[in-house]
Amino acid sequence: MTFYAIWPIARFVNFIMYRFTVKNRWRIKDLRKKYKDFILISNHCTIFDPILMCATVMPHSIYHTTLEANMCVPFLGTLIQLLGGIPMPSGRRGRAAFVENMKFVLSKRHCVHIYPEGELYIQNQELYKFHNGAFIASMELNIPIVPIATVLTEPKTILGWKSVRPRATEYVLPPIFPENFSSPKEYAEYARQQIQNEIILRGGTNAYCKGHMGRIKGAED
């Protein structure tokens, strides 16, 4: 309910800033007919990405993974949880706890979204190495992964005016299945290449890249 209350405002602001659109949503609908659970992954290049992922699966609900430290930030941590954020465990207990968390959240909403780069790289179109977490979960739970490419392109010039931000378009790519890979590392690299290739194909530009976004104040390790 928190998401649906915030959604109209967030959608308007996001459209003004990035002219956001989604392509190939039908792939999500088709996948839901065949598979009970699945994992979404995408590159992380704007602060509005969680809103974009929610828009992609609407009217269904979705969970998002986030850093455990973010949950400790006053007010913001509570808001993140209300919007479907779940903490991503780290350290020695990381792998087993992560898979258990995935089992639990998928029993509630059937779909969870993960940023395999692990960090926000503002308006970046050159993907960093993917972490293995999403792919370990996919292999151990035997569920598909749906890669999504957020492509940033040059904004149009309207009456002599041009936005200082790129235009964002989200492309839902064909699902990837765990049985086709022998290791999470191989699986992760293949998925990264699929998203990177789509960015190149659609003319994604890295001219607006602002680099890594620092941790939220109060959430530093």
Side-chain angles (χ1 to χ4, degrees):
M1 291 187 66
T2 303
F3 171 74
Y4 285 112
I6 293 176
W7 164 246
I9 298 173
R11 178 69 177 88
F12 175 76
V13 173
N14 189 28
F15 180 78
I16 293 298
M17 293 181 68
Y18 289 105
R19 296 296 191 272
F20 163 72
T21 54
V22 181
K23 303 291 186 180
N24 302 331
R25 283 187 63 187
W26 58 268
R27 287 194 170 118
I28 298 290
K29 295 178 180 179
D30 283 359
L31 193 66
R32 286 187 63 87
K33 295 176 182 178
K34 299 178 182 179
Y35 298 91
K36 178 184 176 183
D37 303 323
F38 56 92
I39 297 172
L40 298 178
I41 63 166
S42 69
N43 52 318
H44 197 4
C45 55
T46 82
I47 61 173
F48 289 100
D49 286 343
I51 298 294
L52 310 189
M53 295 305 122
C54 290
T56 302
V57 300
M58 284 181 69
H60 304 288
S61 299
I62 186 174
Y63 278 117
H64 303 270
T65 57
T66 185
L67 296 171
E68 282 185 312
N70 290 343
M71 298 298 196
C72 300
V73 179
F75 177 74
L76 181 61
T78 301
L79 180 61
I80 290 173
Q81 293 181 69
L82 289 172
L83 291 174
I86 56 172
M88 179 179 293
S90 58
R92 293 182 180 178
R93 65 189 178 88
R95 176 168 179 162
F98 182 77
V99 173
E100 286 304 312
N101 280 358
M102 291 302 101
K103 286 182 180 178
F104 175 75
V105 299
L106 288 170
S107 71
K108 302 296 182 180
R109 292 190 180 176
H110 309 295
C111 179
V112 62
H113 176 259
I114 300 172
Y115 297 110
E117 289 176 287
E119 301 280 355
L120 167 56
Y121 298 95
I122 302 175
Q123 296 171 181
N124 176 54
Q125 293 285 269
E126 296 180 1
L127 273 60
Y128 288 83
K129 181 181 178 180
F130 281 5
H131 296 285
N132 292 335
F135 309 95
I136 290 171
S138 173
M139 296 180 84
E140 294 202 11
L141 302 178
N142 193 30
I143 58 176
I145 279 179
V146 180
I148 297 176
T150 301
V151 181
L152 306 180
T153 53
E154 287 286 345
K156 295 181 180 179
T157 300
I158 303 175
L159 299 177
W161 176 83
K162 186 178 180 180
S163 174
V164 297
R165 296 182 182 85
R167 180 168 185 164
T169 307
E170 196 176 272
Y171 293 90
V172 181
L173 307 183
I176 310 173
F177 299 91
E179 58 266 26
N180 297 325
F181 304 93
S182 59
S183 70
K185 182 178 179 180
E186 177 192 5
Y187 195 179
E189 178 56 24
Y190 178 84
R192 190 191 71 83
Q193 285 292 339
Q194 295 305 299
I195 295 176
Q196 187 68 76
N197 291 343
E198 188 72 13
I199 290 172
I200 294 171
L201 176 66
R202 303 295 180 178
T205 176
N206 211 43
Y208 296 85
C209 181
K210 296 182 179 180
H212 175 252
M213 180 178 176
R215 297 291 174 86
I216 298 170
K217 187 176 181 179
E220 295 88 352
D221 293 334

